[in-house]
Amino acid sequence: MDGAIVGPYQLQDCLGHGVCTAVYRAAAGGSECAVKLVDGQIEPTTDLAERLRRDAALLGEIGHPGIIPILEAISEQGMTVAAMPLKNAVSLRELMARGGLDMDAAWSVLTQIAESLDLVHRHGLVYRLLKPANVLVDEHGRSYLAEFGITGHWLGHMTATTPDMEMHAPQYLAPEQLDGRELDYRVDLYALGVLAFELATGTPLRRYADPAEVLRATLQSAPPSAHARDGRLPPEVDHVFQRALAREPSHRQQSVWELLDELTSPPEIAGPSVPSVDRQLSAAAVQPVLTVLSDVDAWLVPGPHEVLDTFFATCIRAGRQVAGQAWPQIAELAGLHQFIAADPVAQGRHEPELLSLSRLAEAFDAVNGRDASRRLTDWGALAGGMWLRSIQPKPPWIAGPPTGRLVDMLSVFIQSLNRVRGDDLHVWTQVNRQLFRVVHHQNMTAVGRRRAAEACHFWRGAYQAALGWAGLTDLWLVSEVECGCVTGTGDCMFTIVRAAT
């Protein structure tokens, strides 16, 4: 239809096409726009155009920059005609085809899509056909949902019953779209699950060339294993995708953020219970453990093993205060007997005391037994609070909404920890509006320690102190999701999650 006139639009070149649809660059009133034509077979044109106008009005009220608005929707020549702004961006489909996305960029796209979808879902709207061709990414990495809601109810049903129908990305259609059931926001959760699977594994969800085979698999087969496709993915992630791609909408995650949160920290699959062990040990019993710990260089990862002596002194002072009468025993076990009564000399220099902190945490753990986690948390909270007060008072710019305050706090705290180590070994990222991830490479209280369970209670306490410093104690929760003591890497990952309100 190049050159054709449809309503007020003169169609120019075709930018892309799908099932009985096509998008054209078009001119109208001296300006350019993108126009999508939808064949009347998909949905009666008057019904679709009316729904699009209602959606457009709501989208206009929302005004979200990640959603390309519908400027106009009309019925013309047996088609629905929807006009949208023309964006200088490429489709996610193109980027995926040429391998133009690393994992960080892929996660950024997913979180931006999730933010847009969550907003429209809360306003009672449904996108209906999320797929890479309908996601545009500009040169700055900003992602946009295009052609919002233009797909009709009967797209999947029509495709499944029309042998010669050409179709792109049929795997993104949810089972209820194929069955002709009433649709709600959970069709978008299904499609987001497919997109996450394909970005994570670098493979299509269904490996059939024939669209009809893909649609049959959607209705009849369980989703494939992401872990089997890419062994770097944890086995637990398969359960997340099984939920997201469940045939029944009620079995899926109930929000886009729940899906992304599970992908970030896959829930553990229930297994047989393991009886707890009483860890109330005597100093004599733990002495062999600490003797072995003193010779950890054989498996210690390469890198800087020094810490700023002022931070080390802060940890010693806080440890003495929290340990109370047990401090002489703890200091002796950690090989730090010289600090039973005296503080380390602090001259603002980096000293090779990294393993001393790890042994000190081990000694706290061994001496306190079942009460060790509380004692370690108290130690971390006191040391973290003392350290923050020593580097600067709470800055006046830590203000505003909770997420902004957390960003400010992490910027200050993580930067200070990197100064402690003399290297950028602590990093943080914002996963979504409710979840932040912090990674400690060569964790100061974990390096050199082999354990069978999570052990970084010190840092949980330190981050709780930092949250209190920023006035966020009741708004965010801290947990450790990967312990370098268990893996032997020494690298630990923490999450800071928005508390339920």
Side-chain angles (χ1 to χ4, degrees):
M1 296 185 66
D2 291 7
I5 295 177
V6 180
Y9 306 102
Q10 181 170 13
L11 307 184
Q12 298 172 353
D13 52 315
C14 182
L15 302 176
H17 62 88
V19 182
C20 289
T21 64
V23 180
Y24 283 84
R25 184 190 309 271
S31 61
E32 282 193 328
C33 61
V35 169
K36 181 152 191 175
L37 309 178
V38 184
D39 194 295
Q41 295 180 73
I42 290 181
E43 192 166 327
T45 57
T46 53
D47 294 348
L48 180 55
E50 182 180 351
R51 176 170 58 77
L52 290 178
R53 285 192 289 271
R54 290 197 305 268
D55 288 0
L58 284 172
L59 290 173
E61 293 177 11
I62 296 171
H64 192 273
I67 303 169
I68 298 177
I70 301 167
L71 302 175
E72 183 181 34
I74 60 175
S75 301
E76 187 77 22
Q77 301 177 25
M79 299 178 290
T80 300
V81 181
M84 298 157 286
L86 192 61
K87 282 284 183 184
N88 182 22
V90 297
S91 73
L92 181 57
R93 178 185 176 190
E94 295 175 70
L95 291 176
M96 292 169 68
R98 64 188 190 215
L101 285 174
D102 59 25
M103 288 309 295
D104 285 341
W107 188 253
S108 175
V109 169
L110 275 179
T111 55
Q112 290 181 69
I113 292 171
E115 181 181 348
S116 299
L117 289 177
D118 180 64
L119 185 62
V120 299
H121 290 167
R122 287 189 281 114
H123 282 79
L125 299 178
V126 185
Y127 187 26
R128 295 172 180 268
L129 189 57
L130 172 64
K131 61 180 180 178
N134 285 349
V135 177
L136 302 181
V137 183
D138 68 16
E139 60 182 346
H140 304 293
R142 289 189 291 263
S143 301
Y144 307 91
L145 297 180
E147 306 172 22
F148 196 96
I150 290 176
T151 302
H153 283 78
W154 296 96
L155 177 60
H157 176 76
M158 185 179 68
T159 303
T161 57
T162 308
D164 59 350
M165 181 68 70
E166 180 185 1
M167 188 177 194
H168 299 297
Q171 70 271 26
Y172 283 84
L173 290 171
E176 58 267 37
Q177 285 173 292
L178 306 182
D179 288 343
R181 287 180 275 171
E182 190 66 28
L183 308 182
D184 64 19
Y185 73 97
R186 290 172 294 190
V187 301
D188 295 338
L189 296 180
Y190 184 95
L192 188 64
V194 176
L195 180 59
F197 182 100
E198 297 190 341
L199 286 171
T201 65
T203 64
L205 177 70
R206 306 289 183 182
R207 288 173 161 168
Y208 300 108
D210 184 355
E213 289 293 327
V214 174
L215 300 179
R216 274 194 287 273
T218 298
L219 294 174
Q220 300 172 7
S221 303
S225 164
H227 173 68
R229 296 276 182 92
D230 188 337
R232 294 172 298 180
L233 300 173
E236 293 82 5
V237 82
D238 286 342
H239 177 67
V240 180
F241 285 121
Q242 286 167 6
R243 284 194 68 197
L245 305 179
R247 178 165 182 177
E248 291 302 321
S250 61
H251 295 168
R252 298 172 200 154
Q253 293 87 355
Q254 295 304 294
S255 75
V256 291
W257 291 123
E258 183 183 353
L259 170 55
L260 262 62
D261 289 348
E262 286 192 6
L263 287 173
T264 306
S265 303
E268 293 184 5
I269 301 172
S273 60
V274 179
S276 60
V277 178
D278 187 346
R279 299 192 64 261
Q280 184 68 46
L281 302 176
S282 66
V286 302
Q287 186 63 51
V289 176
L290 295 171
T291 301
V292 173
L293 183 62
S294 67
D295 184 22
V296 298
D297 294 317
W299 66 273
L300 186 64
V301 292
H305 301 144
E306 298 182 339
V307 293
L308 198 63
D309 58 13
T310 50
F311 180 80
F312 181 67
T314 298
C315 289
I316 294 295
R317 287 196 298 272
R320 181 188 299 119
Q321 185 172 332
V322 169
Q325 293 181 349
W327 175 246
Q329 182 185 22
I330 290 173
E332 193 72 39
L333 283 174
L336 298 171
H337 55 274
Q338 69 271 36
F339 302 130
I340 290 177
D343 289 340
V345 176
Q347 298 178 331
R349 299 187 304 199
H350 286 89
E351 300 291 344
E353 295 290 3
L354 179 67
L355 294 182
S356 295
L357 286 176
S358 183
R359 295 188 191 103
L360 188 54
E362 184 73 21
F364 257 99
D365 203 358
V367 170
N368 288 288
R370 286 178 294 181
D371 196 36
S373 62
R374 183 178 67 83
R375 291 290 188 176
L376 283 164
T377 300
D378 291 345
W379 176 35
L382 184 58
M386 292 167 65
W387 178 249
L388 281 168
R389 287 192 296 273
S390 71
I391 58 175
Q392 67 179 84
K394 176 183 171 182
W397 39 262
I398 294 189
T403 301
R405 276 187 281 161
L406 183 60
V407 167
D408 290 341
M409 180 276 283
L410 286 173
S411 299
V412 171
F413 196 39
I414 296 301
Q415 186 179 27
S416 75
L417 291 181
N418 285 332
R419 286 199 300 269
V420 166
R421 300 296 300 279
D423 204 348
D424 293 339
L425 293 171
H426 307 81
V427 295
W428 67 272
T429 55
Q430 182 175 356
V431 177
N432 56 50
R433 63 178 184 154
Q434 295 178 313
L435 177 66
F436 287 72
R437 180 172 54 209
V438 181
V439 180
H440 288 205
H441 297 289
Q442 300 180 39
N443 190 332
M444 285 181 274
T445 57
V447 167
R449 305 175 66 206
R450 291 279 192 182
R451 298 294 302 279
E454 168 189 319
C456 292
H457 304 287
F458 173 93
W459 288 109
R460 185 176 300 153
Y463 280 109
Q464 288 170 351
L467 290 171
W469 178 73
L472 297 168
T473 301
D474 298 328
L475 300 177
W476 297 92
L477 305 174
V478 182
S479 64
E480 183 185 21
V481 295
E482 181 176 334
C483 179
C485 302
V486 176
T487 63
T489 63
D491 297 343
C492 297
M493 181 187 299
F494 305 85
T495 58
I496 303 178
V497 183
R498 184 72 182 269
T501 56

